[in-house]
Amino acid sequence: MRTLGVAVAVALLGLAGLAAEKFIVGSDIAWPPFEWVSAKGNYLGFDLDVMRMIAVLEGYEIEIQDIAFDSIIPAVIAGKIDIGASGFTITAERAQVVDFSSPYWVSDQTVLVRADSGLNIITALLPGRKVGAQRGTTGAFWVEDNLIAQGVAVQLILYETYPEAIMDLLAGRIDAVIQDQAPSEQAVRQYPGKLLIAGIIKTYEEFGFLVAKGDPKGILPRIERGMKKLRETGAWDNLVAAYFGNPLDVIEAAWEACIPILTVERDPIRYAACLAAKVQELSQK
Amino acid sequence: MSLEHWLKVWASLPVLLQGLSVNLALLGGLLSLGFFLGLVFAVLEVYGPKPLRLCAALYSWVFRSIPEILLLLLMWFGPAQFGVRIAPFTAAVLALGLRSSAYQAQIFRGALQAVPAGQMLAARALGLSKFQAVRHVLLPQALRLSLAGWGNEFAVVLKDTTLAYAVGVVEVMRQARYLGSREMPLTLPAYITVALLFLVLTYAGLFALGALEKRLRIPGLEARR
Amino acid sequence: MLLRVEDLHKRYGKEEVLRGVSFSLEKGETKVIIGPSGTGKSTLLRCINRLTEPDRGRVFLEDVEITSPRVNINKIRAQIGFVFQDFNLFTHLTALDNVRLGLMRVKGLSKKEATERAMRELARVGLADKAKAYPAELSGGQQQRVSIARALAMDPKLILFDEPTSALDPELIGEVLSVMVELAQSGMTMLVVTHEMGFARSVADEIIFMEKGVIVEQGPPEQLFKSPKHPRTVEFLRRITELYGGEK
C-alpha cells in the first residue's frame, strides 16, 4: 500500500493536536499540475498542496481521497467527503448544489490539435468535427453550450480521463481536444512536435474549492482565511511559480526535498519558498 | 509508444502490482461474500418455505438487474445519507459481493436442481433432516456441478474489480491511469501491461479451478456421461 | 403387531391414488405387494414413512403413530429401511460412505463404530471388497446390494422395498433377490413391492394384490396364486404369466 501509505502519512498533518478535526478532501488525482500521482506514488499538485498548507494554518487534519471527477460533487452532497479540490470551475449549475470558496485560479479553455493536422481554432471546431473532452468538465460543457446548442453540429466524444482523449487525438480518431490551459500545456510538453494548441478560448473560468451546500461543518471561512494568509505571505505566488510551467519530474524532485518542512516542521510559508527555489534551481540544471 | 515509454512502465511494475494486490483483495472479499450469501439464497430458493423462496428470487432479481457501477455508487453514497461513512474498499466489496452472490445463487440453484430428486428422497428415508440432507448429500454434489459456472463467474468478477476505482479504490486500473496522467505517452503501454496482468491472473485462476475440478471428480461418473 | 396401516388415502390432483388401504405386518413377516403399474403401490410405501404425506388414514409402528404431526419423523424413518427402484445411492460417496452416512449423522455413531458396522453390512451383501468404490463404478446389481446394506446398517425394524429389481438387467436380478431371500429367512420384517412372482411365491408369508388404489385380495401365496377368488386377480395373474413366463 505504498501510494496510500505515503498519501495518508502526508495527509495526516495535524498529528500534534490529539483527535483533531479531520476533513476528507476528494480529488481526481489525474490532472497535472493541479493534482497527480508522482513517479514515487505521492499525491502532488497545486490543489492538494494548497489544501495541506491551509490545514496546517487552520489547525485541522485532512485525508486526501482519490475519486473519479464526476463522482466528487455527488460524494460531497452525500457527505462522503467534505471538500472537493480538483480544479473545479465555479458554475451556476454547480453552485446550486454545493458551496464554492472564492476563486483561486482563472483558466481558459484551449483547443488541442495534432501538429500535422493544419487545423486552427476555427477549422478545428467546424460542424462534423470530432471533439473530445473529459466527462463532467467545463471543457465538455463549453462544447455543448457554445457549439452544439448553437447549431454547430460537432461530434462530442467524452472520456473518463483526459489522457485517453489525448491518445485518441494522437491516433487520429478525433480532431481536437478541449481542455484547460495548464494541462494542455503539459500535454504539448510531453508530446514534443506532435501536439499544438490551436487556440485559446477565453472562457475566464474561475476555479474554487467546494463543500456541501450551506457549509454545515463551517469549512469555507477557514479555507478563505488560509488562502488570505498564503497570499499575504507570498507563499501563494511561490506555489504558483513552482507548479506551473515546469516539467513534472522537476516539481516532484523539489517536492520531495521540501515536503518535510510542511509535514514535520509544519511551516507552510517556508515550504512554499523552498519549493519555488528548488524548482528553479533544478530546472536551470 | 517508444521503447523508452515501455521501459518506464516496466520500471513502474511494482506500483501496478501493488494496485493488482488491491484487486486481489477485492476479489477475495467479494467472492467469499458472494459464495456464502449465494449458497444461502440458492438453498432458500430451492428448499425454503414459499415466502423465503420468493424473497430469495426477489433478491436475485434485484442484484442482477442493477448495473454494477450503479450498485457501487449506491453502496458508497447511500449509507452516507444516514451518517455512516463506509470506506471505499468496504463499499466496493459489499456492492460487488452482493451482486456476485445473486449470480452465484443462480449457479448453485441450477446445480441443486440438477441433482436427481432421488438423492433427497434417499437421504430423508435414512432419517436425515432436510438441512442434513442438503448439507451432506445435495450440496457436495451441487458444488461439483457448479464449478464450471463458478469459474465463469470468477473470470467476470475479477475484471469487475477494476470498477472499484469509481468509488475511490486505488486498484491497478487507477494506478495505470496515474502513470498515464503524469506522463501521457505511458497511457497505452500501461493499459496493455494491465491487460497482460489480467490475462495471466485469469489463466492462473481458471487453471487452479480446473485442477480442483479434477481432484473432486467422482470416479466412474464421467465415463457414463 | 409391528406395522399397522389404517385406511390410507392419497390424491394427486384429480387422481385418487390410494383409496383406503389397510393391512398389518407382524414382526419377522415378509409381505409382497403385487398389482398393475400405476396402482398406488409405490405411493403406499412412501406414505408409510411419510416420504409422501397421506391425505387421510393412520400408520402405526409398534403403537407409535407415524402419521401424528407430533412425531419426530426423522427418528421414525431411521427405524424403517427403504430400498428404491433406482437405488439412489449418493453418487459422490463411496459404498462405505453411503452406508456410514446415516450411522454417523442420524445414529450419531463414531467414525470407528460406523466403519465397523458398515463393513459388516457390506460383507453381508457380499461387497466388502467394493467398499472404496463409487456408485458409478458398480454394476446395477452391486449398487442395489449396497443400498440394501445402507438400509440394513441402520438396524431397522422393517425394510420397505420399492420394486428393487425393476431397474436391473435380467442377469443382475438374481444377486439382489438372493440377498433379499437371505434377509427374509434371517427374520427381517419386509414389505416388498415387486413383479418377481417367483420371489413372491417362495418368500412371502402373504401376498397383497392391489389395483386402482385398493387392496383387491390378500392371502398366502399358494392360495392367491393357485386359487384366486377375485376375477381381477385372475386377470392380473394371467397377464403377468404371459409377460414373465410364470415360474422363475
Side-chain angles (χ1 to χ4, degrees), chain A residues 44 248-258 275 278 282:
Chain A
L44 261 70
L248 296 184
D249 44 4
V250 166
I251 305 175
E252 286 171 16
W255 187 86
E256 268 165 45
C258 300
L275 199 65
K278 199 84 186 168
L282 289 171

Side-chain angles (χ1 to χ4, degrees), chain A:
Chain A
M1 305 290 282
R2 191 180 70 167
T3 308
L4 277 184
V6 173
V8 170
V10 172
L12 298 179
L13 288 170
L15 283 176
L18 277 174
E21 285 171 283
K22 184 161 101 180
F23 300 126
I24 298 180
V25 176
S27 183
D28 183 353
I29 314 183
W31 207 57
F34 288 92
E35 40 268 329
W36 81 97
V37 179
S38 75
K40 298 210 166 148
N42 296 311
Y43 288 172
L44 261 70
F46 181 78
D47 286 340
L48 303 183
D49 267 1
V50 167
M51 283 291 112
R52 289 175 178 130
M53 290 158 78
I54 293 177
V56 170
L57 290 173
E58 288 295 311
Y60 56 82
E61 289 178 27
I62 60 168
E63 180 188 320
I64 294 169
Q65 164 87 62
D66 177 32
I67 320 178
F69 186 74
D70 52 3
S71 288
I72 295 176
I73 288 181
V76 168
I77 295 170
K80 291 294 296 183
I81 57 178
D82 301 301
I83 306 171
S86 202
F88 274 102
T89 301
I90 303 171
T91 65
E93 288 95 337
R94 286 171 179 162
Q96 283 172 4
V97 291
V98 292
D99 280 358
F100 277 100
S101 70
S102 60
Y104 67 85
W105 189 260
V106 177
S107 174
D108 292 315
Q109 294 290 320
T110 52
V111 181
L112 265 177
V113 295
R114 283 185 305 282
D116 60 8
S117 66
L119 295 175
N120 60 42
I121 188 163
I122 306 295
T123 55
L125 302 178
L126 288 175
R129 292 273 184 225
K130 291 179 179 167
V131 179
Q134 185 180 353
R135 190 186 309 281
T137 58
T138 46
F141 298 149
W142 185 87
V143 175
E144 282 170 359
D145 297 344
N146 297 292
L147 295 178
I148 296 170
Q150 307 298 322
V152 183
V154 299
Q155 204 179 328
L156 176 61
I157 320 260
L158 295 173
Y159 296 87
E160 284 298 313
T161 64
Y162 86 101
E164 286 160 10
I166 299 288
M167 280 203 317
D168 258 10
L169 177 64
L170 287 165
R173 271 190 297 274
I174 54 177
D175 301 305
V177 170
I178 306 278
Q179 177 60 258
D180 280 66
Q181 196 166 354
S184 285
E185 284 164 2
Q186 283 290 345
V188 171
R189 245 195 306 279
Q190 289 180 349
Y191 288 101
K194 296 207 173 150
L195 292 177
L196 202 68
I197 294 179
I200 295 173
I201 305 164
K202 284 281 174 194
T203 50
Y204 200 74
E205 289 168 47
E206 295 174 329
F207 288 5
F209 302 112
L210 57 87
V211 298
K213 195 78 195 156
D215 191 16
K217 295 194 175 176
I219 305 170
L220 278 186
R222 301 167 83 168
I223 290 180
E224 297 295 347
R225 212 158 44 225
M227 286 203 289
K228 189 156 172 278
K229 269 186 232 168
L230 290 177
R231 289 209 176 86
E232 285 167 359
T233 54
W236 188 273
D237 291 339
N238 279 332
L239 209 60
V240 171
Y243 270 110
F244 293 91
N246 294 304
L248 296 184
D249 44 4
V250 166
I251 305 175
E252 286 171 16
W255 187 86
E256 268 165 45
C258 300
I259 193 68
I261 303 176
L262 181 61
T263 51
V264 181
E265 299 172 38
R266 305 182 60 74
D267 187 343
I269 316 301
R270 214 153 54 71
Y271 162 69
C274 170
L275 199 65
K278 199 84 186 168
V279 164
Q280 199 182 9
E281 175 198 326
L282 289 171
S283 49
Q284 276 164 1
K285 268 181 192 165

Side-chain angles (χ1 to χ4, degrees), chain B residues 109-194:
Chain B
R109 182 183 61 88
L112 280 170
Q113 286 169 341
V115 176
Q119 297 287 310
M120 182 58 132
L121 277 181
R124 299 307 306 274
L126 271 180
L128 266 67
S129 67
K130 205 168 186 178
F131 177 81
Q132 283 179 314
V134 170
R135 157 86 179 72
H136 296 292
V137 176
L138 277 297
L139 278 184
Q141 298 184 39
L143 288 179
R144 281 178 172 87
L145 293 175
S146 308
L147 269 172
W150 205 81
N152 192 39
E153 173 69 5
F154 158 82
V156 171
V157 296
L158 173 62
K159 288 171 287 180
D160 285 352
T161 57
T162 56
L163 293 173
Y165 101 90
V167 295
V169 177
V170 183
E171 42 67 63
V172 69
M173 202 52 222
R174 191 62 178 163
Q175 295 281 14
R177 283 183 165 157
Y178 285 161
L179 292 181
S181 64
R182 183 181 175 279
E183 200 172 342
M184 273 178 248
L186 302 192
T187 307
L188 204 50
Y191 284 2
I192 292 171
T193 306
V194 172

Side-chain angles (χ1 to χ4, degrees), chain C residues 123-175:
Chain C
R124 189 164 165 188
V125 299
L127 287 173
D129 58 328
K130 295 288 185 188
K132 294 279 175 224
Y134 285 86
E137 297 173 306
L138 298 172
S139 73
Q142 291 171 324
Q143 289 192 55
Q144 193 59 297
R145 282 148 69 198
V146 172
S147 97
I148 292 172
R150 178 172 70 180
L152 276 176
M154 299 295 283
D155 197 15
K157 293 182 170 147
L158 153 78
I159 302 183
L160 309 174
F161 290 85
D162 186 8
E163 302 199 31
T165 56
S166 298
L168 295 176
D169 296 335
E171 71 271 21
L172 301 176
I173 292 176
E175 58 185 89

Side-chain angles (χ1 to χ4, degrees), chain C residues 223-235:
Chain C
Q223 181 211 312
L224 198 112
F225 283 124
K226 296 263 164 59
S227 49
K229 289 175 189 147
H230 201 285
R232 300 298 309 164
T233 320
V234 178
E235 168 65 13

Side-chain angles (χ1 to χ4, degrees), chain B residues 65-103:
Chain B
S65 304
I66 303 174
E68 53 233 298
I69 188 80
L70 198 57
L71 265 181
L72 273 165
L73 292 172
L74 286 175
M75 190 56 71
W76 194 53
F77 290 140
Q81 306 293 319
F82 309 100
V84 183
R85 273 187 180 171
I86 302 184
F89 184 86
T90 316
V93 166
L94 279 176
L96 297 174
L98 291 178
R99 182 187 153 280
S100 179
S101 76
Y103 279 94

